[in-house]
Amino acid sequence: MYKIFETVDEVSRYTARRILNRVEHKPGAVLGLATGSTMEPVYEHLVQGVRQAQVNMSQLTTFNLDEYIGLGATHTQSYSHYMRRHLFDRLSLSEEKVHLPDGMSNHAEQACRAYSQAISALGGLDLQLLGIGSNGHIGFNEPHTSFASRTHVVELSEQTRIDNGRFFTDQAEVPTHAMTLGIQDILEAKEIMLVITGRHKADIVAKLFHSGVDEALPASALKRHHDATIVLDSEAAALLPHQGFNAKATAG
Ligand code: GLP
């Protein structure tokens, strides 16, 4: 289902509200979280919403989608640092209940296996939050990743390293590898929300809308899911056909 709003603020408010509804309904929910600039206003609204409604977050468990290999938790561009800055510290989430792939592990394959298993052991993700890369990646699952994949180590594509270079002082500092939840792990979430904002994402949104389920476009895996919502602002939706909005998409 596509849900389209005029502004980034409305997109973020709606997404944060849906997350809060989940947690209010199930305080022990397991959330799959994402990083990136798209999520910053979402987390801002989430923090405000938790404070206003006094939602108890103490039983919540979270698993992040991905992490760079070789950036420790104190590196300002690690996703661990991002999550503490934008969400975990602000909501005082307990350290034992928040999880990110360990990009510093000396036993990466073992760590990846354990990550997917830890999610399954808790009954799976209740809600997975996703952003999208300009090449259609979700998490760090680059084009042509198997839809049957579990948490794994990936070599980042040149496009992704260029896109994410804006956060680093030097392009050469952008890690070459990352750990990411696999597409199968993502598809096993009970509910998925893919949030996409900005004119720079309009091309990939149009491509996704018209695409079939195709491993060349990782986000198209969501078309197999029974409860996936793609939340867009008007800029990201600019190249979509002007009909059928806020309804089940028929293309793809
Ligand atoms: C990174 C992350 C993705 C995220 C994407 C888009 O590559 N691994 O999970 O969806 O960036 O980020 P942004 O929201 O900054 O465009």
Side-chain angles (χ1 to χ4, degrees):
M1 176 170 103
Y2 288 76
K3 191 106 184 109
I4 302 175
F5 294 92
E6 198 52 40
T7 66
V8 172
D9 193 61
E10 287 168 295
V11 165
S12 310
R13 189 184 301 273
Y14 170 79
T15 307
R17 186 23 58 204
R18 289 264 303 257
I19 298 170
L20 273 179
N21 286 348
R22 269 270 166 187
V23 181
E24 280 171 336
H25 188 69
K26 185 180 177 186
V30 183
L31 297 185
L33 298 178
T35 52
S37 34
T38 311
M39 296 305 151
E40 291 181 21
V42 173
Y43 292 147
E44 187 56 48
H45 278 290
L46 188 58
V47 169
Q48 286 172 18
V50 168
R51 289 180 183 159
Q52 275 160 16
Q54 307 244 312
V55 182
N56 179 2
M57 304 292 269
S58 65
Q59 293 174 55
L60 185 71
T61 300
T62 69
F63 286 88
N64 262 80
L65 271 174
D66 45 17
E67 179 59 286
Y68 289 115
I69 300 256
L71 298 192
T74 54
H75 192 291
T76 55
Q77 293 314 323
S78 71
Y79 288 164
S80 172
H81 197 281
Y82 171 106
M83 289 310 297
R84 275 181 281 128
R85 208 162 61 235
H86 293 290
L87 198 69
F88 298 160
D89 287 353
R90 301 178 70 198
L91 294 182
S92 309
L93 296 184
S94 95
E95 269 194 36
E96 313 87 72
K97 288 188 175 288
V98 302
H99 306 84
L100 283 102
D102 180 5
M104 298 299 278
S105 172
N106 292 323
H107 307 282
E109 281 189 19
Q110 211 176 307
C112 286
R113 258 197 313 276
Y115 200 72
S116 288
Q117 282 164 1
I119 294 172
S120 302
L122 288 173
L125 299 163
D126 289 298
L127 171 62
Q128 175 66 61
L129 193 57
L130 293 175
I132 194 169
S134 65
N135 62 0
H137 73 226
I138 48 175
F140 269 132
N141 292 288
E142 298 283 29
H144 303 289
T145 302
S146 164
F147 284 178
S149 54
R150 296 289 180 186
T151 305
H152 60 288
V153 172
V154 290
E155 181 172 5
L156 299 177
S157 71
E158 207 40 45
Q159 184 60 56
T160 297
R161 294 189 68 240
I162 291 167
D163 287 351
N164 290 3
R166 68 189 192 280
F167 297 113
F168 294 79
T169 39
D170 193 316
Q171 182 66 35
E173 283 178 29
V174 184
T176 55
H177 290 76
M179 261 183 203
T180 182
L181 211 62
I183 294 183
Q184 183 64 36
D185 296 306
I186 293 170
L187 289 178
E188 285 174 7
K190 296 176 185 78
E191 179 185 357
I192 300 178
M193 292 184 83
L194 169 59
V195 186
I196 317 178
T197 56
R199 186 64 181 79
H200 62 299
K201 297 279 177 77
D203 284 325
I204 193 64
V205 168
K207 213 169 152 191
L208 174 60
F209 182 82
H210 293 291
S211 167
V213 176
D214 182 352
E215 288 186 352
L217 208 178
S220 71
L222 269 52
K223 296 187 183 216
R224 278 196 185 154
H225 197 276
H226 66 284
D227 191 3
T229 308
I230 301 177
V231 192
L232 305 168
D233 73 340
S234 53
E235 298 275 309
L239 302 178
L240 289 183
H242 288 281
Q243 55 190 346
F245 290 166
N246 296 339
K248 281 245 180 237
T250 46

